[in-house]
Amino acid sequence: MGFPEHRMRRLRRTETLRRMVRETRLSVDDFILPMFVTHGQGVRNPIGSMPGHFQLSVDELVKECREVVDLGIPAVILFGIPEHKDPLGTAAYDDKAPVQRAVRALKKEYGDALVVITDVCLCEYTDHGHCGMVEKGQVLNDATLELLAKEAVSHARAGADMVAPSDMMDGRVGFIRDELDEAGFEDVPILAYAAKFASGYYGPFRDAAESAPKFGDRRSYQMDPPNAREALVEMTLDLEEGADILMVKPAGPYLDILRVAREEFDCPLAAYQVSGEFAMIEAAARLGWVDRERVMMESLVGIRRAGADLILTYFAKDAARILRG
Ligand code: PBG
Ligand code: ZN
């Protein structure tokens, strides 16, 4: 192989040619839109570090999802901002809390046209902001499992189509699977935040969900960023415990993990393009330093090319509009 017989530019000459030999395609079917639901009525609080995103009360969330459905985005994932926080995050498993009410309202309005996924974690609901029960400054693993399972069952009872544990406690997928089955929700799939790294890219999200830890950090339960082999162990365990879909998070800085996971596992793979990845593109675009649309689409196609089937992204609506043309 060599020049001049081979000229790679021949197939790049026109957009139509390029379209024919394109290896990876983005589709609106790949997108899951994260949304923040709060208490109250008529609430639409803009999130400063996440332009275009809001803390929405249930009524506003239902309205906002009309556009999501019309754009053909198949799914949303809900995060809750409760009225009260306490050491055990009791609002997480309160059937009348914002997420549970939102799920009921969305299922009533949109039925099967919208897949409603719920994030299962305690950090938005605990006064200390950690993802589990705390004792003597330590985040307890086994005691937390009960609470997470109660939360997952409460979401399923409200009608959630899928639950997504994001806490990174050991054994939670299996524990939640058992409790869901026990409660008669054997058909509710688990989207496991399987390889979730302790990342600085979650900054804007913690403002949005009001979930920053009040002491310490999450490094004793989320993964250490340099570890790739360990990510495969995490994913293998979650799959064995009954996860239906495995997630890598964040997405952009961890494309190597996605690539290896694609080769290793045959289940659907999801990647979470997190708040910081979104915010950096938005900020640079505002400064005029990058072209927002181009960088947005390039970041998403990169995640697909690395091996993700599904992408959780704050760009879902804008990208869907562009794909629709
Ligand atoms: C909660 C949770 C976090 C995110 C999703 N679920 C934050 C965290 O672990 O601190 C991050 C999402 C984002 O940054 O967009 N466990
Ligand atoms: Zn959490």
Side-chain angles (χ1 to χ4, degrees), residues 34 36 50 77 79 119-124 129 131 164-168 193 196-199 201-206 209 211-213 218 221-222 247 249-250 272-278 312 314:
F36 302 94
M50 300 176 68
I77 180 166
F79 297 90
D119 183 87
V120 173
C121 201
L122 295 175
C123 53
E124 299 123 79
C131 303
S166 68
D167 51 282
M168 289 302 278
Y193 285 72
K196 175 172 177 179
F197 290 87
S199 171
Y201 287 87
Y202 304 151
F205 173 93
R206 291 179 187 173
S211 65
R218 304 207 202 290
Y221 42 106
Q222 297 181 349
M247 190 202 295
K249 175 184 173 199
Y272 199 145
Q273 183 181 51
V274 301
S275 56
E277 300 178 74
F278 168 78
L312 294 84
Y314 300 98

Side-chain angles (χ1 to χ4, degrees), residues 2-19:
F3 179 81
E5 294 82 358
H6 290 273
R7 290 181 180 271
M8 297 307 289
R9 292 180 53 184
R10 286 182 197 124
L11 294 176
R12 294 180 196 149
R13 197 172 51 80
T14 70
E15 173 55 19
T16 311
L17 275 167
R18 291 192 292 271
R19 189 149 62 83

